[in-house]
Amino acid sequence: ETGVTQSPTHLIKTRGQQVTLRCSSQSGHNTVSWYQQALGQGPQFIFQYYREEENGRGNFPPRFSGLQFPNYSSELNVNALELDDSALYLCASSLRPGSSYNSPLHFGNGTRLTVT
Amino acid sequence: KNEVEQSPQNLTAQEGEFITINCSYSVGISALHWLQQHPGGGIVSLFMLSSGKKKHGRLIATINIQEKHSSLHITASHPRDSAVYICAVASPLEYGNKLVFGAGTILRVKS
């Protein structure tokens, strides 16, 4: 059973650029959720993907977008990067959308994005 | 006011001490998760609770649904327990599919 893997681990971008972060979900999991964690804070929900469709979104602007592929891996895209986008981006996979109500969570190690 | 409050924010303990971290939330929930985050960033799930108490090794988690409060206890603490401990709540009625997280408690155990 493979765990959740994220790439890259670290990334440095310039304000205004675009970035794509990747997440491979745990084997058998069809749902991926993305979170942003600023320094010293808890993770904030960005959005969730289930069966290649967005299935819930947090309070993030449209320049944060995502994709989920048939193999359930996922991408997070951020356009027009701002300094405040500097954070750790985490993805978590689950068996189904509602399984955080009754199953443990499976997180990747995150991608640390620095915007200069 | 944050929807999920943790206390303390920072905690330094001596090896062997009994540690308690608290989590309070404001809405009815279906589950509460305790998570451990090490300096590299990766998050490990410790417990998922909807009622009562769970124990795993030196870790114990309790929840009081009526009081909207949960605690994580670490017995015989060890320097390798040093990490950030985060609680997160799931409430389909209030939050849909998303989890809401506390800001975390930074624990340092000294030898």
Side-chain angles (χ1 to χ4, degrees):
Chain A
E1 181 185 86
T2 56
V4 179
T5 58
Q6 291 187 243
S7 63
T9 53
H10 294 83
L11 202 50
I12 300 174
K13 288 285 190 179
T14 304
R15 193 170 52 183
Q17 285 188 315
Q18 178 266 343
V19 70
T20 297
L21 311 182
R22 296 179 176 82
C23 172
S24 293
S25 58
Q26 181 151 322
S27 176
H29 288 188
N30 61 21
T31 303
V32 174
S33 301
W34 285 92
Y35 298 88
Q36 180 196 64
Q37 186 179 21
L39 204 59
Q41 297 181 25
Q44 299 287 321
F45 176 74
I46 303 174
F47 43 55
Q48 181 183 86
Y49 275 82
Y50 169 61
R51 292 186 175 179
E52 303 177 56
E53 298 284 334
E54 188 179 288
N55 188 48
R57 188 178 182 93
N59 190 25
F60 280 80
R63 58 189 186 84
F64 285 77
S65 63
L67 277 176
Q68 188 179 32
F69 299 98
N71 66 354
Y72 304 131
S73 66
S74 177
E75 285 182 355
L76 164 65
N77 297 291
V78 187
N79 292 323
L81 283 167
E82 300 176 1
L83 297 178
D84 284 349
D85 296 333
S86 295
L88 180 70
Y89 289 84
L90 293 157
C91 79
S93 73
S94 53
L95 282 168
R96 56 193 176 278
S99 60
S100 62
Y101 313 140
N102 53 23
S103 298
L105 303 172
H106 300 268
F107 283 88
N109 286 331
T111 293
R112 191 164 296 282
L113 172 65
T114 303
V115 182
T116 61
Chain B
K1 187 180 190 301
N2 291 335
E3 293 159 302
V4 179
E5 296 273 0
Q6 286 188 235
S7 63
Q9 285 184 301
N10 289 277
L11 182 54
T12 299
Q14 207 57 41
E15 182 173 359
E17 283 185 357
F18 180 82
I19 288 162
T20 296
I21 298 170
N22 297 298
C23 176
S24 297
Y25 51 91
S26 56
V27 301
I29 65 169
S30 53
L32 181 144
H33 298 262
W34 279 105
L35 309 164
Q36 181 191 56
Q37 185 171 34
H38 281 281
I43 292 180
V44 174
S45 177
L46 298 175
F47 294 104
M48 194 279 299
L49 292 165
S50 52
S51 65
K53 175 179 169 178
K54 286 190 176 178
K55 184 176 189 290
H56 185 255
R58 295 180 295 106
L59 301 178
I60 302 166
T62 63
I63 189 167
N64 185 317
I65 294 293
Q66 286 74 30
E67 294 187 3
K68 296 184 171 62
H69 180 269
S70 176
S71 293
L72 176 68
H73 306 283
I74 305 175
T75 61
S77 60
H78 190 276
R80 65 175 173 267
D81 297 326
S82 298
V84 179
Y85 291 84
I86 303 172
C87 72
V89 299
S91 174
L93 214 58
E94 297 287 338
Y95 307 137
N97 286 327
K98 75 174 186 179
L99 290 166
V100 176
F101 294 75
T105 294
I106 302 171
L107 171 65
R108 180 176 167 228
V109 181
K110 297 194 289 187
S111 57

